[in-house]
Amino acid sequence: MTEPVRAPYGTWPSPVDAALVAERHGRPEWVGAVGEELWWTAPRPGEGGRRALVRLRPDGGAPEPVLPPPWNVRSRVMEYGGRPWAGLAREGEGPLIVFAHFADQRLYAFEPDAPGAGPAVPRPLTPPSRVGGGLRWCDPVVVAQAGEVWCVLEEFTGERPGDVRRMPAAVPLDGSAARDRAAVRPLDGPRHRFVTGPRLSPDGRRAAWLAWDHPRMPWEGTELKLAEVGAGLSPALSGVRTVAGGPGEAVAQAEWAPDGTLLAATDRTGWWNLHRVCADTGAAEPVGGAREEECAGPLWELGSRWFAPLADGTVAVLRGRGASRLGVLDPVSGEVADAPGPWTEWAPTLAVRGGRVTGVAAAPGRGWEVVTLDTATGRCRVVGEEHRDAVDPAYYPVPEERVFAGPGGREVHARLHPPRHPRAVGPPGAAPPYVIWAHGGPTSRSTGVLDLEIAYFTSRGLGVAQVDYGGSTGWGRAYRERLRGAWGVVDVEDCAAVARALAAEGAADPARLAIRGGSAGGWTAACSLVSPAAAGVYACAAIRYPVIDLAGWADGGTHDFESHYLEWLIGPPGEVPGLYRERSPLTHAARVAVPFLLLQGLDDAVCPPEQAARLPAAVAGRGVPHACLTFEGEGHGFRRAATIRRAVEAELALYLAVFGIEREDAPELELTGAGPDPSGGNARGGREGRGEGSAGMLEP
C-alpha cells in the first residue's frame, strides 16, 4: 500500500471539480403513489435548474421523465413552494396528473397515456393573472368524485409582497377555470393568512388542514382545522373549527389513518411527536408514548410529510435527534422498527402503496435516492435516482458528530468534515484551514449526508464544520427557542465557539478560519464580521443571498411569508426599534476588516439583491478586499449548473487567496478594495499557510 504524500493543506489535487458539484446538485422531491406507480420530481441543473417530473411504472422498468424542457414542476406559493403535483390512477385511461408549472404558476392537467397521434400535452386548468405575483397553487389532491383538485390558492391582490390572500380552493378538472377565475371555488374563506391543503377523511365526510397567522411562523404556532364536507358534486366545507394547536403549539402535519383516526405531529410535549387527535373534542394523546425526539420538522414547504399511516394500523414515521430516519411505529406497543440499510437521513416526503413506504434518503457516502421499504419483508431497495460514485469514495468526507460548549456552557451541536484524501495528508504539526458553515432558516439544521460541495473543499485539504447553532431544529423546542429575540447573537456566538474550540484542540489552524452561509446563514456570516463575540476569529467570509439590513427587510423588503419573522428573531419593531439598528451589520460596517465574497441571485424575492448590495456599499473606500458576483435568472438558492460552478470556484478562490495557498489550478477571483492580494501573494493563491512546508504536487 502506497504511503500518503505529505502536502500542504489546500494544495491537494481532487477529482471532485465544480462541474461535478453542479451536476449532482439538488435532490429528488415530492414522491407520490399513483395507483401502483411512483412519481417524483428531480433536479436538472444542466437544464436551467428546472424540476423534471419522473414516472416509475410497476413493471420493473427504469424511471422515465415524462415532460421535456422547459416544463418545470415547481410551485412558488410562499416563495419556498411545496408539493407541486398530485395524481389519480384511472382504470383503462392511465394516470391523471395535475401540476404547477414554475414559469407561469398555472395548474396543468397531464394525461400521459391519452390516445393520440403524438406525445400528450399538458392542458391548463387555471387562468393567468397580471396582478402582483399572480395566482399560485400548491399542495394539491385530486378529488375524483367532485371532478376537482383541492389545493392551496395564493392570490395576489396588489403589487406589494403583502397584498396577498390564501385559502383552500377547488379547481375544476374540466378546464373551465383556465379562462374564468370565477370557476375556481373557495372551500373556505381567507380567514387565515396561511393554510395547507385539505386532507379528506377516508369516508369523505371531513376535511382537515393547518392554518396560522402573522406574526407567527408555522414552527411557533399553528391550528389544526376541521370541517364537515357536504354532499353533492360540489361539496362545501361547513362548521370550520380548531381542534388542536394554537399560539404556543406547532402542528406540523395532519393525516387521516385508514380507519378514520386523525393523526397529527405536534410539539405540545416539547418535541414534535405523533398524536392521536379526537375529531370531536380535540383531545390528543401521544401515539406510542411521548418521546424526546423529533417526528417532524419546520414547515418551510407546504405538503411536507414526516409520517404516513399504513393500512395495518402502523405508521411510517421519520424520527430522530439531529437526524431523521425512517421507522415503522406500532401505536399499541410503542415499538419502532427502523428501516434497514445505510441511509441515515430521510427527506420529509413519504408515499404509501399497501405495505410499501417510499421516500428520499441519503447517507454520508451516498447521495439522495428514492428508496422503498417493504414492511412485510423488512427490506429496503433503491427504486430511483440511484447513487453512483463519480469518483473514488475515498475522496468523500466522513462526518463526525460533536457537541461543543457555547457561552454559559450551553450545548452546541455540530458536524465536522475533516480534510480527507486517499493519497495525501498534511505536514507534521500543521492544522488545516476550516470553514464554519452556518445553515439557512435559521429555523432549520444541517444533514450529515454526502454533499459534493463539502467534498470539493475537504478533498483539497480544507475542513468544514456545519454548526447547528441555538435556534436549529432537530433538538426539541427548547433548543430552537434559544434564538428567540437573539438572532445575530446566539447564532454568531455558537459558530464562533465551535471555531475557537477547533483551534484550541489543534484540529484547525487559528489563523485560517472562515465562515460561510446562505440566506439566514448569510446573515450570521455577515454579523460574524462585525460582532465582538466573533472578533478576531475569522480570516474571511463567503456570504450568499443574505439578510443585511433588518429595518429594510422588515419594512416590505421581503416576501409575505417571512415579513413578520423578525418579531420572533429580534422583537416587535415598535417595542425594540433600537435592536433593528444595533444588530444590523450595516450599522457596524466600520468593523469589517477581513475579505469577503458576496453571491446573489438577481431574481431573489426572499432576500432581494438590494439587501446584498448594501454591504459592499457600506465598506466602499475603506480598503476591505471583497468580490460581489450576481447571477441572472437565479432566485433564493442557486439551481443552474453554470451558477453553481462559478459560485463554488469563487469561494475556493477566496480561501486560497486569503489563506495564502498556491495552486496551479486556482480559480480566478478579483478581490477589489485593497490591491491584488490580501494575503501578500495574489488572488490566485499566495504564500503557503503557517508551518506547512512544501511538497510535490499529487495527481488526483
Side-chain angles (χ1 to χ4, degrees):
M1 184 175 181
T2 304
E3 285 292 321
V5 173
R6 292 195 177 275
Y9 290 110
T11 68
W12 304 348
S14 173
V16 184
D17 60 19
L20 179 60
V21 173
E23 177 189 335
R24 299 293 182 93
H25 181 78
R27 71 185 183 197
E29 294 178 324
W30 309 118
V31 175
V34 183
E36 287 300 304
E37 297 184 355
L38 287 171
W39 292 62
W40 62 85
T41 69
R44 295 291 186 265
E47 298 175 4
R50 78 181 185 103
R51 300 289 305 187
L53 191 60
V54 179
R55 177 185 190 181
L56 179 63
R57 302 173 192 264
D59 57 10
E64 57 192 78
V66 293
L67 289 169
W71 291 106
N72 187 355
V73 182
R74 181 180 159 210
S75 169
R76 281 191 64 182
V77 168
M78 302 190 329
E79 294 302 339
Y80 294 116
R83 186 174 183 84
W85 73 274
L88 174 70
R90 302 178 301 178
E91 188 69 31
E93 298 180 274
L96 168 67
I97 305 296
V98 176
F99 69 92
H101 177 44
F102 184 75
D104 59 14
Q105 286 300 291
R106 299 174 77 181
L107 276 184
Y108 288 81
F110 178 54
E111 301 172 84
D113 298 343
V121 177
R123 55 183 174 85
L125 296 180
T126 58
S129 173
R130 299 184 182 277
V131 178
L135 300 172
R136 301 175 180 178
W137 315 86
C138 191
D139 203 10
V141 58
V142 178
V143 183
Q145 62 269 32
E148 297 173 325
V149 55
W150 289 14
C151 55
V152 174
L153 162 61
E154 179 178 78
E155 183 172 20
F156 283 79
T157 58
E159 299 300 323
R160 296 175 302 178
D163 295 337
V164 64
R165 59 187 177 190
R166 301 175 187 88
M167 68 189 82
V171 176
L173 290 170
D174 62 10
S176 57
R179 295 172 299 279
D180 182 10
R181 163 67 180 82
V184 175
R185 188 167 64 88
L187 292 169
D188 187 37
R191 69 176 73 209
H192 292 283
R193 191 68 167 191
F194 304 97
V195 295
T196 64
R199 300 288 185 263
L200 280 171
S201 60
D203 61 10
R205 297 173 57 186
R206 285 175 166 173
W209 66 96
L210 305 181
W212 69 97
D213 293 288
H214 284 320
R216 295 194 302 274
M217 299 299 287
W219 42 86
E220 297 174 54
T222 58
E223 298 178 23
L224 174 54
K225 314 295 289 191
L226 198 69
E228 309 302 319
V229 179
L233 294 179
S234 298
L237 300 182
S238 62
V240 177
R241 60 195 185 280
T242 298
V243 295
E249 178 184 352
V251 183
Q253 181 191 344
E255 301 285 346
W256 298 93
D259 65 359
T261 300
L262 182 59
L263 300 175
T266 169
D267 69 350
R268 61 172 53 191
T269 65
W271 298 82
W272 270 306
N273 281 186
L274 197 61
H275 285 68
R276 185 181 295 107
V277 179
C278 177
D280 295 317
T281 66
E285 59 179 4
V287 177
R291 302 170 182 272
E292 289 194 351
E293 63 179 5
E294 303 283 39
C295 298
L299 192 62
W300 282 101
E301 296 178 301
L302 302 183
S304 295
R305 201 177 193 197
W306 291 273
F307 72 88
L310 296 164
D312 64 359
T314 60
V315 184
V317 61
L318 307 184
R319 68 189 190 96
R321 294 169 65 103
S324 193
R325 306 187 185 207
L326 175 63
V328 178
L329 170 65
D330 183 337
V332 178
S333 68
E335 295 182 354
V336 180
D338 287 327
W343 303 281
T344 57
E345 187 77 38
W346 292 69
T349 177
L350 294 173
V352 170
R353 298 172 296 155
R356 290 167 292 175
V357 182
T358 301
V360 174
R366 303 178 71 92
W368 294 97
E369 305 171 289
V370 180
V371 181
T372 292
L373 166 67
D374 187 329
T375 60
T377 64
R379 295 180 179 176
C380 279
R381 65 186 181 96
V382 177
V383 298
E385 313 295 325
E386 183 176 6
H387 170 78
R388 298 186 186 279
D389 291 314
V391 301
D392 183 344
Y395 289 96
Y396 300 160
V398 177
E400 302 174 6
E401 307 286 335
R402 292 283 302 274
V403 180
F404 293 89
R410 65 176 182 246
E411 288 188 347
V412 180
H413 295 275
R415 287 186 174 90
L416 305 187
H417 304 265
R420 185 170 186 249
H421 195 286
R423 293 188 294 114
V425 294
Y434 250 86
V435 184
I436 304 298
W437 281 30
H439 63 70
T443 309
S444 185
R445 64 176 174 84
S446 63
T447 57
V449 302
L450 178 60
D451 183 338
L452 289 182
E453 191 169 359
I454 292 177
Y456 178 82
F457 296 106
T458 58
S459 62
R460 285 167 169 76
L462 282 68
V464 170
Q466 296 174 292
V467 181
D468 283 349
Y469 47 82
S472 301
T473 52
W475 308 99
R477 182 155 188 148
Y479 194 86
R480 70 178 190 267
E481 287 278 347
R482 290 183 186 176
L483 205 59
R484 180 191 288 268
W487 196 37
V489 178
V490 166
D491 49 328
V492 171
E493 290 175 345
D494 287 358
C495 287
V498 171
R500 288 190 177 104
L502 291 175
E505 65 189 40
D509 184 341
R512 296 191 297 170
L513 294 168
I515 187 167
R516 72 97 83 164
S519 190
W523 154 267
T524 301
C527 287
S528 297
L529 298 185
V530 301
S531 171
V537 173
Y538 305 111
C540 61
I543 305 169
R544 297 175 172 224
Y545 35 90
V547 178
I548 293 294
D549 176 15
L550 291 180
W553 202 72
D555 187 18
T558 188
H559 61 148
D560 182 62
F561 176 52
E562 295 180 88
S563 60
H564 291 257
Y565 197 4
L566 295 184
E567 296 191 28
W568 187 89
L569 291 169
I570 305 295
E575 297 178 14
V576 290
L579 281 184
Y580 281 68
R581 174 175 170 78
E582 176 59 28
R583 297 272 180 87
S584 174
L586 293 182
T587 303
H588 309 288
R591 297 177 185 169
V592 178
V594 300
F596 64 87
L597 168 66
L598 192 59
L599 303 168
Q600 177 69 44
L602 294 178
D603 293 347
D604 194 339
V606 178
C607 295
E610 53 266 27
Q611 273 279 324
R614 290 170 185 165
L615 184 59
V619 301
R622 292 195 46 253
V624 177
H626 63 275
C628 304
L629 303 181
T630 59
F631 301 97
E632 295 277 359
E634 292 285 8
H636 198 63
F638 302 148
R639 296 173 178 269
R640 300 181 176 187
T643 303
I644 297 163
R645 287 198 304 270
R646 181 67 182 113
V648 168
E649 290 176 342
E651 188 173 342
L652 176 62
L654 172 72
Y655 302 146
L656 297 180
V658 174
F659 295 157
I661 300 170
E662 292 184 348
R663 293 183 65 104
E664 291 183 358
D665 62 349
E668 296 283 355
L669 181 67
E670 181 180 355
L671 292 172
T672 63
D677 178 23
S679 71
N682 57 64
R684 290 181 58 88
R687 60 181 182 269
E688 295 170 357
R690 299 186 314 159
E692 290 207 345
S694 61
M697 290 297 294
L698 295 168
E699 294 298 327

